[in-house]
Amino acid sequence: IYGYLEHKDSPRFPVYQFTQADINANKIHFILNKIDDRISEDYFEFDVVDKHGNILKANKFFIRWSLVNFEENELSIMESEGKVRVHIKKSGNLKRFSMVTCKTVSDTAKSNRDSRSYDFIHTNVKVEFNEDESLKACDIIINKDQQIEPIESFYVVLEDSKYSVIGSKNRIKINILDKIQGKLLIK
């Protein structure tokens, strides 16, 4: 329902027959083409036929995966706090190690890679989930400068997953707020 089988020698085309030799040579792949954050399992049915014509019909092969998503869609942080912690949640199949990259992307707030006068430290880190772990964090350092500025923002994105699927909550907006004499500076 959520994916199909593909032969390595014919990518992007569903395959309906394959041999044990194809499996042994790692040429059959399951391609997940419909990602739904509520679903982390699929299956396909196949018949096994031997060289004598014996048939085992309707064998089911279940495929389970894990999904990684941010817990929030948007966070606001006071510049004076010095860092923001973004939570990443792994759901679905927790019985396997997985990894995802947590990376910052500039918007109105600039990183140390973009400008000498920067608002946050660029982050590009691998976040590892061991077996049975479902929650991790990615920390981003906020530059506590002496400038009074309106709200500035940047994004944190999830990419380059290994042994997991990145879900729909793969981008989070971070707002940096300044405080002036007990009041928030809002543009």
Side-chain angles (χ1 to χ4, degrees):
I1 297 173
Y2 297 97
Y4 62 92
L5 295 179
E6 167 182 288
H7 194 284
K8 185 178 177 182
D9 296 340
S10 300
R12 294 181 300 279
F13 295 104
V15 64
Y16 299 101
Q17 289 185 325
F18 53 90
T19 66
Q20 185 64 47
D22 291 330
I23 295 170
N24 294 346
N26 199 26
K27 290 188 173 189
I28 303 300
H29 303 271
F30 176 78
I31 305 300
L32 182 63
N33 60 357
K34 294 179 190 174
I35 298 175
D36 182 329
D37 289 347
R38 299 166 296 167
I39 306 297
S40 59
E41 180 178 293
D42 201 358
Y43 72 92
F44 61 91
E45 285 189 18
F46 60 99
D47 296 338
V48 177
V49 181
D50 69 11
K51 61 184 176 184
H52 302 293
N54 299 313
I55 300 174
L56 282 170
K57 290 192 171 274
N59 294 279
K60 286 187 179 180
F61 186 86
F62 288 90
I63 299 165
R64 295 176 178 90
W65 58 87
S66 60
L67 285 152
V68 288
N69 280 297
F70 286 121
E71 282 207 306
E72 303 92 357
N73 292 318
E74 186 171 347
L75 287 173
S76 294
I77 186 81
M78 296 302 299
E79 182 182 89
S80 59
E81 297 216 19
K83 81 173 180 179
V84 60
R85 174 164 280 182
V86 179
H87 293 101
I88 304 166
K89 184 176 182 177
K90 178 179 169 183
S91 60
N93 183 9
L94 301 180
K95 296 296 181 193
R96 185 169 186 173
F97 166 86
S98 65
M99 183 171 33
V100 67
T101 299
C102 177
K103 179 180 171 183
T104 55
V105 177
S106 294
D107 189 32
T108 56
K110 301 301 178 199
S111 78
N112 58 326
R113 288 179 41 174
D114 303 321
S115 170
R116 282 191 209 183
S117 175
Y118 59 91
D119 303 297
F120 65 95
I121 303 291
H122 175 72
T123 302
N124 187 357
V125 296
K126 302 272 187 216
V127 177
E128 296 182 0
F129 288 88
N130 290 320
E131 186 177 307
D132 292 327
E133 286 185 317
S134 62
L135 191 63
K136 288 287 189 161
C138 179
D139 292 336
I140 297 99
I141 303 299
I142 305 298
N143 184 25
K144 296 186 279 184
D145 60 25
Q146 301 303 314
Q147 298 177 32
I148 304 302
E149 302 164 308
I151 295 174
E152 295 179 301
S153 60
F154 65 95
Y155 294 92
V156 183
V157 297
L158 296 176
E159 57 185 34
D160 193 31
S161 67
K162 304 284 187 240
Y163 310 113
S164 60
V165 175
I166 297 174
S168 63
K169 288 176 72 173
N170 54 30
R171 183 178 180 96
I172 182 172
K173 183 178 184 179
I174 308 295
N175 299 306
I176 302 173
L177 311 173
D178 276 343
K179 194 171 186 182
I180 302 175
Q181 300 169 355
K183 296 181 182 177
L184 289 177
L185 177 63
I186 299 175
K187 189 176 183 178

